[in-house]
Amino acid sequence: MSDRDPQPVERQLPTEEARDLLALVRDIAQREIAPKAAEEEDAGRFPREVFTLLSESGLLGLPYDAEYGGGDQPYEVYLQVLEELAAARLTVGLGLSVHTLASYALATYGTKQQQVEHLPAMLGGGLLGAYCLSEPSSGSDAASLRTKAVRENGGEWVIDGTKAWITHGGIADFYTVMARTGEDGPRGITAFLVPGDAPGLTGATPEKKMGMKGSPTAQVHFDGVRVGDDRRIGEEGQGFFIALSALDSGRLGIAACAIGLAQAALDEAVAYATQRRQFGRPIADFQGLRFMIADMATQIEAGRALYLAAARLRDAGRPFAKQAAMAKLHCTDAAMKVTTDAVQILGGYGYTADFPAERYMREAKVLQIVEGTNQIQRMVIARHVAGPEAR
Ligand SMILES: Cc1cc2nc3c(=O)[nH]c(=O)nc-3n(C[C@H](O)[C@H](O)[C@H](O)COP(=O)(O)OP(=O)(O)OC[C@H]3O[C@@H](n4cnc5c(N)ncnc54)[C@H](O)[C@@H]3O)c2cc1C
């Protein structure tokens, strides 16, 4: 590795406050997150203390209302924070994105009373959230979920079922859970806020994954879990709509994480290519690699521009679902391509765990799968562009 510092990303930030925020985040990322990333990912260790630090630094509720402990930041700023964190360690960037996703239902559809009671602890009180939509037999077809919530004599709800693939499953302090309370299909689903220590809620042994080994992904079992009606979010039957609306914003988080990961891979590849010599010259002199580097940088810039354009639509209160799906699709495919090319630029060393390029490549893969696979993103985009499918 050379001592060459990567070129700083030229960020478009709307305020001086946002510039200070990004400087703080970069400092935390470089001092507290990046130095331990490789070792802890290898050991499969979740850095809970980093999330405590992010909470203490006011970074766990950035896009939400300051009245409830949020940071009142527009999405275009929050997403660039995510990008910096993901560049340091994807487990942290994606973890914050999932926490934000898990907080969305209550922050957007909760009653005033629910928000006063729960949001300050969720957004700035050190709690960590999980979002529970997927199940063992329902992934892309999420509306077919089977976890049931049944109301007992107009009193408490009793939740039974198994959620699958849950990020922070088993370690989260709160779970936003979509459960069936009525008819089959999307209209029979309701959202609930379930505390992590609710009796009957258990996390299974985390999955053994290809990458992001420090981020626990586990099934969560609900075995007669009881919650009061004051923990129902939104109307009965509104849960699927809430879940999809959360995912529109969540996909922007995944897009930003993908660009952070790709940027880290590009920086690594350029640092290596300027130092490694073959045929008497740095390999960065060879046009075959220069063109690869140019393509990598272009895909990253295009991805950043796309997610920021979608974020600015969201910040302006305009529809952004199509652009969010496009950003998720483009940025995660770009991250897969850029991280694969980074391994190629490092040659044999790229295939070893001595350099982070191989980890970046393994981590990029999951971003094409989570929060709607990239096939599902294409379906969403096509519906916006070409209209609904004729059945
Ligand atoms: C590391 C990790 C973390 C996750 N975190 C969470 C979480 O926190 N909360 C949560 O709820 N879920 C989470 N998920 C689940 C994730 O959202 C699902 O894996 C994803 O939605 C796909 O569902 P599936 O795995 O059941 O695949 P399936 O839906 O079975 O899909 C299998 C394949 O078929 C394709 N496919 C399916 N339907 C169609 C179609 N109509 N047209 C074309 N192709 C199609 C898919 O694109 C995919 O390639 C996580 C997953 C992973 C791997």
Side-chain angles (χ1 to χ4, degrees), residues 5-90:
D5 281 334
Q7 297 284 315
V9 172
E10 280 207 28
R11 299 209 173 277
Q12 295 172 28
L13 293 161
T15 59
E16 194 59 41
E17 186 196 6
R19 275 186 282 279
D20 291 347
L21 181 65
L22 262 291
L24 167 76
V25 171
R26 231 172 273 126
D27 185 50
I28 292 176
Q30 280 161 19
R31 267 190 310 113
E32 307 290 340
I33 302 174
K36 295 183 203 145
E39 190 188 328
E40 292 195 348
E41 283 302 319
D42 200 33
R45 183 181 176 277
F46 179 68
R48 181 66 206 234
E49 70 288 350
V50 167
F51 287 86
T52 306
L53 175 66
L54 294 180
S55 179
E56 287 166 358
S57 309
L59 298 173
L60 276 200
L62 278 179
Y64 296 120
D65 207 335
E67 190 186 343
Y68 302 114
D72 252 347
Q73 290 299 314
Y75 246 63
E76 67 165 314
V77 173
Y78 156 66
L79 292 180
Q80 297 194 67
V81 167
L82 276 187
E83 198 196 308
E84 291 284 348
L85 293 174
R89 185 169 174 189
L90 186 62

Side-chain angles (χ1 to χ4, degrees), residues 173 175 193-202 221-227:
D173 301 298
Y175 294 78
L193 180 70
V194 180
D197 60 0
L201 185 159
T202 48
H221 303 299
F222 296 81
D223 187 8
V225 172
R226 306 178 84 87
V227 290

Side-chain angles (χ1 to χ4, degrees), residues 131 133-134 139-140 165-167 217 366 369-371 373 375 379:
Y131 172 89
L133 180 63
S134 305
S140 302
W165 306 109
I166 303 308
T167 301
T217 310
V366 80
I369 297 171
V370 293
E371 297 196 24
T373 66
Q375 283 77 27
M379 281 170 56

Side-chain angles (χ1 to χ4, degrees), residues 313-329:
L313 284 175
R314 186 189 191 283
D315 291 333
R318 292 173 53 193
F320 67 98
K322 177 181 75 175
Q323 289 80 359
M326 288 173 164
K328 199 273 181 181
L329 171 64

Side-chain angles (χ1 to χ4, degrees), residues 61 64 79 97 167 187 230 248 261 272 308 353 362 389:
Y64 296 120
L79 292 180
S97 183
T167 301
R187 291 198 185 86
D230 57 353
D248 283 341
L261 187 67
Y272 185 85
L308 283 174
R362 286 185 285 107
E389 303 92 327

